[in-house]
Amino acid sequence: MSGDDTASLNTALLQMAAKIGGLESTVSTLLQTWQRMEEKASEGRKDLHQKVEALRAEVTTMGAQISTATKDIAEMKPTVQAVQNVRVQADGVRNVSRWIYWAAVALSGGIVWVVTNFVDIHLRH
């Protein structure tokens, strides 16, 4: 091989070595980027898992509260119905009392009229 061929070969080898070094650097950068992305993704999955667990705990708590509230409502239902019945009865008693009051007023007015007329009749004779 001649000197020019050796120099040309050395130049080509140096360029190839530089390109291989650039590729190695690029691969190394890509690997580091991929590792950082994987770590962030793992943290994101961990956060999501924790949020799902917290939501699950809240739903479980709400289920227990709803169950307790349903039981309490079922226990109160007869009392509420009894109070409503008493209210209806009280309304009925109030209405009957009004009728009795006005009937008594009418009867007392009638009795006063009869007594007045009876007294007038006996006093005239």
Side-chain angles (χ1 to χ4, degrees):
M1 260 189 166
S2 72
D4 284 338
D5 287 339
T6 305
S8 172
L9 183 62
N10 283 337
T11 304
L13 287 175
L14 285 175
Q15 288 176 348
M16 192 170 23
K19 288 183 181 183
I20 290 174
L23 285 174
E24 183 180 6
S25 174
T26 302
V27 169
S28 177
T29 302
L30 288 173
L31 181 60
Q32 290 172 356
T33 302
W34 176 75
Q35 287 173 341
R36 282 193 306 267
M37 289 174 62
E38 184 62 31
E39 288 172 2
K40 287 182 180 181
S42 292
E43 289 174 13
R45 286 189 296 269
K46 181 181 174 184
D47 290 344
L48 180 63
H49 181 71
Q50 289 174 346
K51 288 177 183 178
V52 167
E53 286 300 317
L55 180 62
R56 183 180 300 165
E58 282 184 40
V59 168
T60 302
T61 302
M62 285 176 39
Q65 290 172 345
I66 289 171
S67 177
T68 302
T70 303
K71 182 182 173 189
D72 291 345
I73 290 169
E75 289 174 358
M76 290 187 305
K77 191 172 183 178
T79 303
V80 171
Q81 287 176 341
V83 168
Q84 287 175 340
N85 289 340
V86 168
R87 183 179 293 153
V88 168
Q89 290 173 356
D91 288 342
V93 167
R94 186 176 60 232
N95 290 337
V96 169
S97 298
R98 285 181 187 161
W99 281 102
I100 291 173
Y101 172 78
W102 288 112
V105 167
L107 285 175
S108 64
I111 291 172
V112 168
W113 182 81
V114 168
V115 168
T116 305
N117 284 334
F118 181 70
V119 169
D120 284 343
I121 292 173
H122 286 307
L123 291 178
R124 289 183 189 169
H125 291 287

